Amino acid sequence: MNTLYADIIVDISHEKLDRTFQYRVPESLRGRLEPGACVMIPFGNGNRLIKGYVVALGETCQFAPEKIKDIAGMPEKETGVEDKMIALAAWIRRNYGCTMIQALKTVLPAKQSVKKLEHRQLVRLMNREEILSLLGECERKKQVAKARLLKALSEQETIPYEWITGKLGVSAATVNSIVKSGAAKLVSSESYRNPVKMQSVEAVRNTLSEEQQTIVTEVLKDFDAGRRQTYLIHGITGSGKTEVYMRLIGEMIARGRQAIVLIPEIALTYQTLLRFYQRFGDRVSVMNSTLSPGEKYDQCERAKAGEIDVIIGPRSALFTPFPSLGLIVMDEEQENSYKSESTPKYHARETALEVAKLYGASVVLGSATPSLEAYYRAGKGEYRMFQLTRRLTGGELPTVYTVDLRQELQEGNRSIFSRKLQELMADRLNKGQQTILFLNRRGYAGFVSCREVMKCPHCDVSLSEHKGGRLICHYCGYTQPMPKLCPKCGSKYILGFKAGTQQIEEKLKELYPGVRTLRMDADTTRTKDSYEKILSSFANGEADVLIGTQMIVKGHDFPKVTLVGILAADLSLNASDYRAGERTFQLLTQAVGRAGRGVLPGEAVIQTYQPDHYAITCAAAQDYESFYQEEILYRELSGYPPVAHMLAVQIYGKEEENAKQLALRLTDVVKSNMDFLSGKQKEQSNKKIQVLGPAPANISKINDIYRYVFYVKHAEYDVLVEVKDRLEETLRQWQPRQMRIQFD
Ligand code: ADP
Ligand code: ZN
């Protein structure tokens, strides 16, 4: 028998170690190792025993055989990871620029000892009728929180305690009073398995609408014919997307396949979870932030063992190791939270496509306001698109008024509330209906002159204010002094909207003494359950007005909200990012859609300095298609994704000058290799590599670490991957000290 060698990655996250080491496979381990296996190896001169992962096995020796050491053994109780997971990790490494180890850690559940948190459950003691009669009593007494818990108890026999205090927003005191009344008891359980014991009544199934049925039929037709595709369902909230997902999942289970459902954590409401539990019982499992790493690991083991068919969760649920995955659903595919903020900065949509390829699964994306990227691909025929055009639960879209803030100012209104908004708020307070005030403060507010924001002459994105009174472009580094007078009209009054949520609350109380307000922003939602508590207290009618940042536009439905005020639509429009228009359109569309969800019709007021901007006019009209046409034109003209691809290279360093110099040297490497790198496309001169920057990053310094960034743009994704590889190679040669480089 020939000697067998293994390429092994060492379990240390450091760029220098991002390569494999060859070891000999001892006779005792022959046949027991496969790619992904975890092994112990002697490392370095001291032959210290460390852990590593096998990435490949072969009979060719790359070094002098006598210099190669033997693998020492396998660690106890480590489970080898599946080939697919290793392949996925390799793909992540290649595409997002990180070490193989980082990629592996992303893909694999943390192999912690399965330490179980104690989970408590509320278990019903009375029968359904008794609960319902208690419920009636509470409703008469207006005990809203207690009523909500009783209603939940009437629907299911057990409820996890985390859900009660979290997603249901019911206090411990209320739970105790229910326990005292003898309606239910609290019991401890060791694991999070089968969190909900369902009423055995089979939920009545809706007959699918014609539009819904078409999607289900077509997706299955493709699947059964062996065609694996990506589908985009474009449909407003309430148009029946979730129902379509559940039908498809049911069909997959019937075919012996499993499904992953990605839902942004913030949108994973009690109602949605319950719908999945009612449909799939204990074959469904939820992966969320309340689980300990040990429990997440436990869930992966259960998935591997075939104990569950469906997993619901945020982006990390994508790495659930199902034996025969058939479908990946990604709801609200445009959500930012699908992109990882730490290395590797993978995007769940692209990664989902890769997972689907590895397993032979179909992918269904859903959204009310699809990302430009997804819609663009659908337009090119890469995804198959379906539309759901009707709201199935009724409910008209709200009437929208757009108010020009410049005109308000000219006519003498210096308040942050326009006259229209004041009039409508007063009306709601009289009628006892609720209002949401939305401040879409996202990214850095740019600098606003009387007509428009100041843009970079080179990049067509807003300039940002910096300390020292300068305006700066975060793409190319262009800077200019901040003007003292408005460059358009010469006035000293330079407009801008500086108010935060707290200030809005104060002004509101001045205007309407006695108004009951709730505030939701980064400050008021620091603790774990505070987000859901604020939402449920608003749902209970404990406040007239909810003031908040982008967090309030997702998730919950408030039937009593009949007015939404968007205080300064421009704030997100002026973010110094090429996606500012897209984000603004999405936020405004979602915010406007918050009004009039119940039986009462809704109204919305959009206050803006740029009433003619297409992101605003299209959101007011709830017109996605027109928005898309305008936005894609802008992306085409300025060469931004999805029309072109962009690689961001971030350089972090303790010394500002060093970081800057390294950034400059790296851009030179790209520039001097340009011909070589885009050689494939040489005949088409419009497909050139473009380098922007370097410039200080959007947040130029964190914890005394300076951050520089430069961008490389090209029409072909693969060319950028090559650029990234070349830069990694260069860095290996240069070995810059005390610096860190990230690719995005
Ligand atoms: P989305 O996910 O697009 O917001 P949902 O699937 O949640 O839409 O559907 C919205 C509401 O319409 C839900 O209350 C759901 O039960 C109901 N619904 C969905 N499909 C149908 C149908 N075919 N007939 C009647 N009601 C439906
Ligand atoms: Zn610029």
Side-chain angles (χ1 to χ4, degrees), residues 426-554:
D427 172 68
R428 297 313 191 266
L429 288 172
N430 275 336
K431 289 185 186 151
Q433 295 172 5
Q434 290 179 310
T435 299
I436 288 180
L437 291 181
F438 173 52
L439 187 66
N440 45 327
R441 208 173 188 60
R442 156 157 257 151
Y444 280 176
F447 169 81
V448 190
S449 86
C450 81
R451 307 253 163 89
E452 59 202 18
V453 296
M454 303 280 293
K455 293 203 158 179
C456 170
H458 311 294
C459 304
D460 205 16
V461 297
S462 302
L463 295 171
S464 290
E465 280 185 46
H466 253 239
K467 273 177 282 171
R470 294 193 74 79
L471 295 173
I472 186 162
C473 168
H474 288 305
Y475 285 93
C476 73
Y478 169 86
T479 113
Q480 65 170 62
M482 177 126 76
K484 296 230 162 38
L485 300 176
C486 171
K488 291 278 156 73
C489 71
S491 154
K492 266 193 292 194
Y493 294 104
I494 291 174
L495 299 184
F497 199 94
K498 298 269 182 216
T501 49
Q502 204 168 350
Q503 210 183 335
I504 291 165
E505 190 176 32
E506 281 161 20
K507 296 264 189 249
L508 198 64
K509 291 195 158 146
E510 276 170 30
L511 204 56
Y512 310 104
V515 64
R516 298 169 308 154
T517 58
L518 275 169
R519 199 152 57 81
M520 177 180 292
D521 54 29
D523 287 336
T524 60
T525 52
R526 287 245 168 77
T527 61
K528 210 168 167 201
D529 295 336
S530 48
Y531 169 77
E532 266 138 0
K533 285 214 177 96
I534 295 170
L535 289 179
S536 56
S537 116
F538 190 55
N540 284 348
E542 288 162 26
D544 308 304
V545 183
L546 174 64
I547 307 157
T549 52
Q550 41 270 6
M551 300 178 191
I552 60 176
V553 301
K554 316 213 159 84

Side-chain angles (χ1 to χ4, degrees), residues 2-15:
N2 290 333
T3 315
L4 195 60
Y5 297 95
D7 292 336
I8 288 169
I9 323 174
V10 165
D11 190 9
I12 298 168
S13 179
H14 192 287
E15 285 76 1

Side-chain angles (χ1 to χ4, degrees), residues 289-528:
S289 55
T290 66
L291 298 189
S292 71
E295 285 168 323
K296 283 185 185 164
Y297 181 66
D298 184 42
Q299 286 200 340
C300 285
E301 291 298 297
R302 292 178 65 209
K304 236 190 248 177
E307 290 174 28
I308 51 177
D309 295 317
V310 187
I311 193 136
I312 307 178
R315 58 170 192 262
S316 59
L318 204 45
F319 306 121
T320 307
F322 279 121
S324 179
L325 184 69
L327 178 71
I328 301 173
V329 171
M330 191 172 170
D331 193 34
E332 312 233 23
E333 62 77 31
Q334 83 290 350
E335 269 298 303
N336 284 326
S337 62
Y338 281 130
K339 175 131 189 280
S340 164
E341 283 304 320
S342 52
T343 305
K345 296 190 168 184
Y346 70 93
H347 191 291
R349 187 180 342 103
E350 295 162 357
T351 311
L353 296 185
E354 184 63 22
V355 173
K357 205 159 92 189
L358 288 167
Y359 280 93
S362 302
V363 179
V364 172
L365 311 171
S367 178
T369 51
S371 62
L372 264 255
E373 177 88 32
Y375 208 77
Y376 179 73
R377 284 173 189 272
K380 288 208 303 183
E382 288 176 41
Y383 303 165
R384 228 180 127 182
M385 183 149 66
F386 296 105
Q387 308 269 357
L388 289 175
T389 52
R390 291 191 303 122
R391 243 186 202 179
L392 293 168
T393 42
E396 295 294 308
L397 290 171
T399 312
V400 183
Y401 307 94
T402 306
V403 177
D404 185 345
L405 285 176
R406 297 168 303 185
Q407 205 179 332
E408 287 288 310
L409 201 59
Q410 266 168 22
E411 291 171 13
N413 179 15
R414 300 196 147 265
S415 156
I416 49 177
F417 308 115
S418 62
R419 289 160 299 177
K420 183 73 189 174
L421 185 56
Q422 290 184 23
E423 172 201 323
L424 294 178
M425 279 197 292
D427 172 68
R428 297 313 191 266
L429 288 172
N430 275 336
K431 289 185 186 151
Q433 295 172 5
Q434 290 179 310
T435 299
I436 288 180
L437 291 181
F438 173 52
L439 187 66
N440 45 327
R441 208 173 188 60
R442 156 157 257 151
Y444 280 176
F447 169 81
V448 190
S449 86
C450 81
R451 307 253 163 89
E452 59 202 18
V453 296
M454 303 280 293
K455 293 203 158 179
C456 170
H458 311 294
C459 304
D460 205 16
V461 297
S462 302
L463 295 171
S464 290
E465 280 185 46
H466 253 239
K467 273 177 282 171
R470 294 193 74 79
L471 295 173
I472 186 162
C473 168
H474 288 305
Y475 285 93
C476 73
Y478 169 86
T479 113
Q480 65 170 62
M482 177 126 76
K484 296 230 162 38
L485 300 176
C486 171
K488 291 278 156 73
C489 71
S491 154
K492 266 193 292 194
Y493 294 104
I494 291 174
L495 299 184
F497 199 94
K498 298 269 182 216
T501 49
Q502 204 168 350
Q503 210 183 335
I504 291 165
E505 190 176 32
E506 281 161 20
K507 296 264 189 249
L508 198 64
K509 291 195 158 146
E510 276 170 30
L511 204 56
Y512 310 104
V515 64
R516 298 169 308 154
T517 58
L518 275 169
R519 199 152 57 81
M520 177 180 292
D521 54 29
D523 287 336
T524 60
T525 52
R526 287 245 168 77
T527 61
K528 210 168 167 201

Side-chain angles (χ1 to χ4, degrees), residues 427-708:
D427 172 68
R428 297 313 191 266
L429 288 172
N430 275 336
K431 289 185 186 151
Q433 295 172 5
Q434 290 179 310
T435 299
I436 288 180
L437 291 181
F438 173 52
L439 187 66
N440 45 327
R441 208 173 188 60
R442 156 157 257 151
Y444 280 176
F447 169 81
V448 190
S449 86
C450 81
R451 307 253 163 89
E452 59 202 18
V453 296
M454 303 280 293
K455 293 203 158 179
C456 170
H458 311 294
C459 304
D460 205 16
V461 297
S462 302
L463 295 171
S464 290
E465 280 185 46
H466 253 239
K467 273 177 282 171
R470 294 193 74 79
L471 295 173
I472 186 162
C473 168
H474 288 305
Y475 285 93
C476 73
Y478 169 86
T479 113
Q480 65 170 62
M482 177 126 76
K484 296 230 162 38
L485 300 176
C486 171
K488 291 278 156 73
C489 71
S491 154
K492 266 193 292 194
Y493 294 104
I494 291 174
L495 299 184
F497 199 94
K498 298 269 182 216
T501 49
Q502 204 168 350
Q503 210 183 335
I504 291 165
E505 190 176 32
E506 281 161 20
K507 296 264 189 249
L508 198 64
K509 291 195 158 146
E510 276 170 30
L511 204 56
Y512 310 104
V515 64
R516 298 169 308 154
T517 58
L518 275 169
R519 199 152 57 81
M520 177 180 292
D521 54 29
D523 287 336
T524 60
T525 52
R526 287 245 168 77
T527 61
K528 210 168 167 201
D529 295 336
S530 48
Y531 169 77
E532 266 138 0
K533 285 214 177 96
I534 295 170
L535 289 179
S536 56
S537 116
F538 190 55
N540 284 348
E542 288 162 26
D544 308 304
V545 183
L546 174 64
I547 307 157
T549 52
Q550 41 270 6
M551 300 178 191
I552 60 176
V553 301
K554 316 213 159 84
H556 290 232
D557 268 353
F558 305 107
K560 278 208 200 122
V561 171
T562 55
L563 175 63
V564 168
I566 293 148
L567 293 168
D570 313 71
L571 283 183
S572 56
L573 205 49
N574 300 342
S576 48
D577 178 335
Y578 72 86
R579 293 188 213 85
E582 180 177 4
R583 296 270 158 79
T584 302
F585 175 79
Q586 287 167 352
L587 284 172
L588 295 189
T589 313
Q590 286 169 345
V592 165
R594 292 276 108 192
R597 281 290 173 82
V599 277
L600 302 166
E603 289 177 305
V605 177
I606 300 179
Q607 306 190 148
T608 173
Y609 295 101
Q610 302 167 75
D612 302 323
H613 193 287
Y614 61 88
I616 289 168
T617 54
C618 294
Q622 305 265 305
D623 181 355
Y624 181 85
E625 184 61 33
S626 304
F627 168 75
Y628 175 80
Q629 295 305 340
E630 293 276 354
E631 182 68 16
I632 204 75
L633 198 66
Y634 156 69
R635 303 282 175 99
E636 259 161 29
L637 290 174
S638 1
Y640 286 119
V643 183
H645 293 279
M646 204 148 110
L647 166 73
V649 184
Q650 298 181 327
I651 294 100
Y652 304 120
K654 266 196 158 38
E655 304 288 333
E656 184 172 12
E657 194 51 35
N658 291 352
K660 191 174 166 184
Q661 286 309 323
L662 181 62
L664 280 168
R665 282 169 68 201
L666 288 173
T667 47
D668 282 343
V669 170
V670 180
K671 283 176 186 160
S672 57
N673 281 297
M674 238 149 15
D675 289 341
F676 164 77
L677 287 163
S678 46
K680 278 187 262 175
Q681 279 82 24
K682 229 174 178 174
E683 58 282 7
Q684 292 155 282
S685 56
N686 62 334
K687 289 191 171 180
K688 269 224 171 104
I689 290 183
Q690 259 184 295
V691 183
L692 295 180
N698 207 334
I699 301 169
S700 57
K701 185 176 157 187
I702 290 179
N703 289 336
D704 285 327
I705 302 286
Y706 290 88
R707 308 175 4 138
Y708 268 80

